[in-house]
Amino acid sequence: MVFDFDGTLAELNIDFPAMRRAILDLMEQTGLSSGGTSSLPILELIEYSETVLAALRPPETRASFRETAYGMVQHIEMEAAQQGVLQPGVRELLTGLRKRSLKIGVVTRNCRAAVYRIFPDIDRFCHIVLPREATRRVKPHPEHLHGALDRLGVQPASAVMIGDHPMDIRLGKAAGTDTVGVLTGTTDREALIREDADFVLDRVTDLLTLLS
């Protein structure tokens, strides 16, 4: 079983609107137009900006933009992590899953430092944790989930991706796993059903009931 982190195992409290504003402001300061980028998630917005800069500006401009942008993103993530908590019953859930001899992974677009600030003993409960620094392409690209499954030694057909966002369901579908949506983020049941989630649960701890 592979889990998303924020909104699934941990409460979702990252200020994504502030994060987007910060990146858009940086783009403007760098002379980049934000036109046509409204549908891009934040990390993809940074990648888009880097691609444009690579074609138009010296390499050091792109490098400076990337360093500043990711510094802004991590600052907001760490501010959220200071107040971050796990969803109720997460440690008990993961313990119960491991007792069933299930391999447990986490894939997240969040940074490693924020994950471990919220869940410092996560390695006691999960066999593999892949934050964004640990993959070349972050979810919803299937490479992120495939990287976790490769390390776990599990084939996609024998795995489940669990998350609170449509992106998590799309990730699982693209990677070839079953999917479970949970309603502890900002996405409603209908949105997860539209993504063709195999199951939708009120909370991640309901997995134990689903498996019983």
Side-chain angles (χ1 to χ4, degrees):
M1 290 194 164
V2 181
F3 295 87
D4 167 56
F5 190 71
D6 296 284
T8 303
L9 296 181
E11 292 185 3
L12 182 62
N13 64 349
I14 298 173
D15 192 343
F16 290 110
M19 194 181 286
R20 176 173 288 276
R21 287 194 301 271
I23 300 305
L24 291 174
D25 287 346
L26 179 62
M27 290 173 65
E28 183 177 353
Q29 294 164 18
T30 313
L32 297 176
S33 171
S34 60
T37 64
S38 60
S39 64
L40 290 177
I42 292 163
L43 300 184
E44 285 74 9
L45 183 59
I46 295 173
E47 183 179 4
Y48 163 82
S49 300
E50 288 188 80
T51 301
V52 174
L53 288 172
L56 300 176
R57 304 287 181 82
E60 56 267 23
T61 303
R62 177 186 180 186
S64 176
F65 179 92
R66 178 181 177 83
E67 181 179 358
T68 302
Y70 275 102
M72 290 174 168
V73 167
Q74 184 161 337
H75 175 74
I76 293 171
E77 290 170 337
M78 292 305 293
E79 280 192 331
Q82 297 280 7
Q83 308 300 321
V85 295
L86 295 179
Q87 299 283 356
V90 160
R91 286 184 173 87
E92 293 78 7
L93 165 69
L94 298 177
T95 298
L97 294 176
R98 289 186 63 140
K99 285 181 178 178
R100 295 168 182 250
S101 299
L102 291 168
K103 293 186 177 180
I104 310 299
V106 170
V107 295
T108 176
R109 289 163 64 95
N110 205 340
C111 68
R112 181 180 298 276
V115 171
Y116 281 83
R117 176 65 60 87
I118 297 169
F119 196 174
D121 53 341
I122 191 170
D123 292 326
R124 287 180 49 207
F125 298 88
C126 300
H127 298 93
I128 185 70
V129 178
L130 287 190
R132 67 166 174 268
E133 303 97 322
T135 184
R136 201 161 53 97
R137 297 185 178 92
V138 294
K139 66 177 186 172
H141 196 287
E143 181 177 308
H144 200 168
L145 179 50
H146 283 157
L149 295 177
D150 287 347
R151 289 166 174 79
L152 293 171
V154 175
Q155 293 298 312
S158 299
V160 182
M161 178 68 211
I162 305 105
D164 69 298
H165 195 277
M167 182 183 294
D168 299 308
I169 307 305
R170 291 195 294 270
L171 170 65
K173 296 296 180 183
T177 72
D178 287 337
T179 57
V180 174
V182 296
L183 300 176
T184 44
T186 58
T187 305
D188 61 26
R189 184 181 301 273
E190 289 70 27
L192 295 172
I193 290 173
R194 283 197 298 272
E195 295 293 338
D196 200 25
D198 294 298
F199 298 94
V200 178
L201 306 176
D202 289 336
R203 59 194 64 81
V204 72
T205 48
D206 292 341
L207 276 170
L208 288 177
T209 303
L210 183 64
L211 293 172
S212 63

